[in-house]
Amino acid sequence: MPESEPPESHRRDPGPVIEAGRAARRPLVKPRFGVADLPDQRGRTIMVTGANNGLGLQAVTTLAGAGARVVLACRDLERAASALESVRAAGRAAGSAAEHVLVRLDLSDLASVRAAAAETATAVGSVDVLINNAGVMAIPKGTTADGFETQFGTNHLGHFALTDAMLPLLLRAEAPRVVTLASIAHYGGTIDLEDPNFDRRPYERMAAYRQSKLANLIFSAELARRAAAAGSPLISIGAHPGVAATNLFDSMLPPIPGLASLTRLGMRIVVNSEADGALSQLYGATMPDVENGDYLGPEGLRGMRGPVTRCGRSQSARDPELARELWELSVEMTGADFAALRP
């Protein structure tokens, strides 16, 4: 059955629309937002997952250059050490004395997720922003340390559990934020609540990726709703980079020497560079006009490139019943219950 026609049992009434149509959406304060528009970040602590390369590295070096203390949450500490040096250099160049932190985080292992949150708590007193940036894309079928399909387990469940574990630190901040990276690929996604791990249905790389990115976007909206219902100061924002020339696409290429670098070079001509791709998460993390429940990213070329704006989302991403059911499933699978947000 084509992906665009999920089984009847998996279809949902789209429910109320989260945001208005394009013509009615409130414009952002900075419609041509760039790094130069970043507000002063001195005194703020910002944690970024997957900070050692790609969009994450762009984000942390930019934030450090604006004065923020950055927590780099990375799986590979050897590669992350180089990223930490880049962050320190960016901070020094800006005259910042912030002491940046590196913690090990493997989102495909819930024990590592909780250990990373505990390690962060020993290093910093509070966290102003958590950017759920890391992810894998279109990889062969595999399972996480906890037995989940790798893309759903890493991209969604790992960040779901991390956000819960980080809530005590976030809620110590005056105006905490969570920014979760989704993708324009969510438009083709469906979530099979009965078989999220592809145990019974045939595995297809992009179908699994789309499911995980739809889950990311639904999570960001449901977290926004629950935070508001609890009277919490926390705001939750979804963001997407468009199509950015990063190493995320490497898994889809044949193993030909130099092909990945050549592909990224060609992509920069048509779509976003890594620096441009990071702008939506930077806007969500720092700008004062961001609102709870926003979804930010480019809309040019069908969402592939362009300036950061408030974006539309699919019917599934606006479905409150699907959001509730996915949340309950994620709690069941991870044990993360978000007790800190109970009214």
Side-chain angles (χ1 to χ4, degrees), residues 60-61 63-68 85-98 100:
V60 290
T61 53
L63 290 165
E85 287 308 309
S86 297
V87 164
R88 286 171 172 164
R92 286 193 299 268
S96 170
H100 307 291

Side-chain angles (χ1 to χ4, degrees), residues 6-311:
E8 187 65 35
S9 61
H10 302 146
R11 295 178 189 164
R12 301 282 187 274
D13 182 274
V17 175
I18 290 177
E19 75 288 281
R22 179 181 300 183
R25 288 181 215 144
R26 289 179 301 281
L28 296 173
V29 166
K30 292 289 184 180
R32 292 284 174 178
F33 177 74
V35 169
D37 298 310
L38 212 68
D40 188 343
Q41 295 299 295
R42 283 175 293 185
R44 302 184 85 215
T45 299
I46 302 177
M47 183 177 190
V48 182
T49 68
N52 59 286
N53 59 37
L55 302 178
L57 181 57
Q58 291 289 330
V60 290
T61 53
T62 301
L63 290 165
R69 173 172 57 173
V70 175
V71 180
L72 299 87
C74 307
R75 182 179 58 183
D76 186 335
L77 292 185
E78 184 174 342
R79 286 196 298 169
S82 175
L84 180 59
E85 287 308 309
S86 297
V87 164
R88 286 171 172 164
R92 286 193 299 268
S96 170
E99 295 186 5
H100 307 291
V101 178
L102 173 61
V103 298
R104 185 180 184 278
L105 169 67
D106 183 350
L107 287 163
S108 68
D109 183 343
L110 293 179
S112 174
V113 168
R114 294 179 180 116
E119 184 179 353
T120 304
T122 66
V124 302
S126 63
V127 171
D128 295 273
V129 185
L130 168 62
I131 302 181
N132 291 323
N133 164 80
V136 293
M137 176 180 177
I139 58 175
K141 187 177 183 181
T143 55
T144 69
D146 303 281
F148 309 134
E149 185 276 314
T150 304
Q151 296 189 77
F152 187 72
T154 301
N155 297 352
H156 169 58
L157 294 175
H159 281 125
F160 184 89
L162 178 65
T163 304
D164 174 59
M166 291 296 296
L167 275 179
L169 287 176
L170 286 162
L171 295 177
R172 290 177 194 164
E174 182 178 347
R177 299 184 183 190
V178 176
V179 182
T180 301
L181 268 286
S183 167
I184 57 174
H186 90 273
Y187 274 105
T190 59
I191 296 178
D192 188 334
L193 295 167
E194 301 299 322
D195 187 24
N197 293 319
F198 289 82
D199 292 326
R200 296 185 294 276
R201 52 182 168 145
Y203 180 79
E204 198 276 312
R205 294 184 185 198
M206 280 304 298
Y209 178 68
R210 293 183 189 110
Q211 174 179 255
S212 74
K213 291 288 102 180
L214 175 58
N216 285 149
L217 186 52
I218 290 174
F219 165 61
S220 74
E222 183 65 4
L223 178 60
R225 189 194 68 77
R226 288 174 182 256
S232 171
L234 180 82
I235 67 171
S236 173
I237 302 111
H240 80 85
V243 177
T246 72
N247 62 357
L248 198 62
F249 292 90
D250 291 0
S251 64
M252 303 174 69
L253 301 173
I256 299 173
L259 180 60
S261 297
L262 184 62
T263 299
R264 287 196 290 274
L265 180 62
M267 287 176 67
R268 290 188 187 102
I269 300 172
V270 180
V271 295
N272 275 341
S273 65
E274 287 184 347
D276 288 339
L279 291 176
S280 57
Q281 60 180 281
L282 289 170
Y283 201 113
T286 67
M287 290 297 287
D289 59 315
V290 171
E291 298 177 359
N292 195 26
D294 269 347
Y295 181 39
L296 307 175
E299 285 200 315
L301 285 178
R302 299 179 67 84
M304 291 194 292
R305 66 178 299 169
V308 179
T309 186
R310 288 188 167 100
C311 297

Side-chain angles (χ1 to χ4, degrees), residues 318-334:
R318 303 193 303 263
D319 180 350
E321 180 62 16
L322 178 57
R324 181 188 64 79
E325 292 181 347
L326 175 63
W327 187 280
E328 291 174 355
L329 176 65
S330 302
V331 170
E332 179 183 340
M333 295 176 79
T334 65

